[in-house]
Amino acid sequence: MKAIISGGGTGGHIFPALAIANAIKARYPDADILFIGADGRMEMEKVPAAGYPIEGLPIEGLQRKLTLHNFVVLFKLLKSQRMAKKIIRNFNPDIVVGVGGYASAPTLKAASGMGYRTLLQEQNSYPGLTNKMLSAKADVICVAYDGLEKFFTKEKIVFTGNPVRKVIEDMALTKAEGCAAFQLDPDKRTILSVGGSLGARTINETIKANLQYFKDNDIQLIWQTGKWFYKEAVEAVKNASADNIKVCEFISQMDSAYAAADIIVSRAGAIAISELCLVGKPVILIPSPNVAEDHQTKNALALANNGAAIMVRDAEALTALRPNLDELLSNNEKQAAMAQAIKAMGVRNAADKIVDQIEKIIKK
């Protein structure tokens, strides 16, 4: 088994890519797996740390406004596609898998143009332009939401769910064990605030504005800030003398963080939501407005419309998060109902289901 897996940019693309790679390795211990990512992006560090080789392409995203820099981006796209062709030809894979992110487009386009079998993993309830374009030549499209036949050829769609980290899927930690990892009291109410692997400014600004609320009400907080806001958050917590708030730039022990939390505040990226569904805790989602086709809002609504989450719009977070937290913290019945509803939407063994599809494609 020889496989290329391409994509990245954020944890939301990298973690499912690694989950697929690990599932291939579990079934085929001698499998040869190569990643293709974007130079300077998160995958160039996280993938080698997980034990897999990776090749980088000089690809980046187009600016949404008209700018001369977009001509540079187009040049980099063409160069990336040439490089991807060379990498694919030299590696000669049985399958090329795209998980989204900058590098996915030139890699999958090159692979399908060269006659290689390709599989797309669409994470969102509303696909981006790249996957819509790549879907025409893909052999199979693995999805995590119903209703995507509006965008893709129905016969190519297979519902697998989104692959998540095995440590989250197999999570069996108690609240006490989770709190111990952050030196917190398991008998106190605990909130986890996480804005994705790179952080989320609106969530961070909102948490910062409410530090006194957490302190005065003796509510513990695990606060993942991302690298851009970390120093500012540490300083703010120090000035507030809030010992019940633990600031983390990046949380590697997400199973412990999820276990410690009574309520989770999060962006609405597809993989974050897939993990939250398996964790089964009450959640307040603040979708990022700065994503293609506003897909995070659509992801969040898929849960909120089923009573599985509360959605707070990004523009309203500064005033709306605190009252929603207050209401949820004071209503144990609502917490239990939301936890039950979100857990019912969880999909397990998605990575194994994707490997099943890879096998079918290769056998054809």
Side-chain angles (χ1 to χ4, degrees):
M1 169 73 78
K2 295 186 75 176
I4 285 178
I5 302 176
S6 183
T10 66
H13 293 307
I14 297 164
F15 295 137
L18 289 171
I20 294 168
N22 291 338
I24 292 172
K25 275 286 189 184
R27 202 173 297 186
Y28 299 94
D30 295 329
D32 195 0
I33 300 172
L34 174 67
F35 280 75
I36 298 179
D39 283 334
R41 303 295 292 188
M42 196 186 209
E43 58 267 27
M44 302 307 292
E45 175 192 340
K46 297 294 181 186
V47 170
Y52 294 102
I54 186 167
E55 296 274 2
L57 303 179
I59 186 75
E60 59 180 284
L62 285 166
Q63 300 287 322
R64 295 190 180 186
K65 57 187 178 182
L66 287 172
T67 169
L68 289 173
H69 184 68
N70 279 341
F71 288 104
V72 177
V73 174
L74 287 171
F75 172 77
K76 287 184 175 182
L77 174 61
L78 293 171
K79 183 179 179 182
S80 294
Q81 206 163 312
R82 287 196 302 271
M83 290 174 65
K85 280 184 179 179
K86 186 176 179 182
I87 294 166
I88 294 165
R89 188 180 296 113
N90 290 340
F91 189 75
N92 194 27
D94 299 302
I95 187 75
V96 180
V97 178
V99 296
Y102 296 140
S104 188
T107 303
L108 272 287
K109 195 170 189 305
S112 58
M114 296 164 73
Y116 285 92
R117 300 293 189 184
T118 62
L119 178 146
L120 281 183
Q121 199 265 315
E122 174 54 60
Q123 300 162 3
N124 295 290
S125 58
Y126 193 95
L129 286 172
T130 299
N131 272 3
K132 286 180 195 173
M133 176 190 73
L134 294 171
S135 68
K137 293 190 175 180
D139 291 271
V140 169
I141 305 158
C142 295
V143 303
Y145 291 89
D146 293 323
L148 269 74
E149 60 274 5
K150 291 180 288 187
F151 310 104
F152 303 133
T153 303
K154 186 177 180 180
E155 290 71 27
K156 293 183 179 184
I157 296 173
V158 178
F159 184 90
T160 57
N162 279 325
V164 302
R165 291 170 279 188
K166 197 71 176 166
V167 69
I168 305 300
E169 194 163 59
D170 297 341
M171 195 178 91
L173 296 174
T174 63
K175 181 178 177 180
E177 289 169 328
C179 284
F182 296 92
Q183 293 84 50
L184 294 172
D185 186 342
D187 295 324
K188 292 183 178 180
R189 297 173 298 176
T190 304
I191 307 296
L192 169 63
S193 172
V194 55
S197 56
L198 302 177
R201 177 155 286 278
T202 298
I203 293 179
N204 285 333
E205 294 282 9
T206 303
I207 294 295
K208 182 184 173 185
N210 285 285
L211 292 181
Q212 201 63 40
Y213 164 78
F214 291 104
K215 183 181 177 183
D216 292 347
N217 290 279
D218 200 21
I219 300 166
Q220 298 178 143
L221 173 68
I222 302 168
W223 183 10
Q224 179 180 292
T225 62
K227 63 180 178 179
W228 308 116
F229 204 85
Y230 177 68
K231 289 182 180 177
E232 188 174 335
V234 169
E235 191 65 26
V237 169
K238 182 181 175 184
N239 292 338
S241 300
D243 297 332
N244 59 331
I245 297 176
K246 303 295 180 182
V247 182
C248 310
E249 180 181 322
F250 179 82
I251 300 174
S252 55
Q253 295 174 283
M254 274 308 296
D255 54 335
S256 295
Y258 284 142
D262 296 301
I263 296 169
I264 299 164
V265 178
S266 174
R267 280 300 198 201
I271 300 305
I273 284 183
S274 295
E275 290 191 350
L276 292 168
C277 288
L278 294 179
V279 170
K281 299 281 183 82
V283 60
I284 298 174
L285 296 171
I286 305 176
S288 170
N290 306 312
V291 293
E293 285 86 27
D294 196 24
H295 66 249
Q296 284 205 9
T297 297
K298 296 175 177 72
N299 293 345
L301 284 170
L303 269 66
N305 291 340
N306 281 302
I310 294 170
M311 188 183 89
V312 172
R313 294 195 178 273
D314 188 86
E316 300 164 1
L318 203 57
T319 54
L321 178 60
R322 182 167 155 183
N324 273 288
L325 266 177
D326 259 342
E327 182 193 351
L328 203 47
L329 284 165
S330 63
N331 190 334
N332 290 335
E333 286 185 7
K334 186 171 183 178
Q335 287 185 46
M338 285 178 64
Q340 186 176 359
I342 195 170
K343 198 145 196 175
M345 297 180 74
V347 179
R348 295 190 171 275
N349 304 313
D352 289 321
K353 293 172 186 173
I354 291 170
V355 178
D356 290 342
Q357 294 304 313
I358 289 172
E359 287 182 336
K360 288 180 181 178
I361 293 169
I362 292 171
K363 284 175 183 174
K364 280 184 182 178

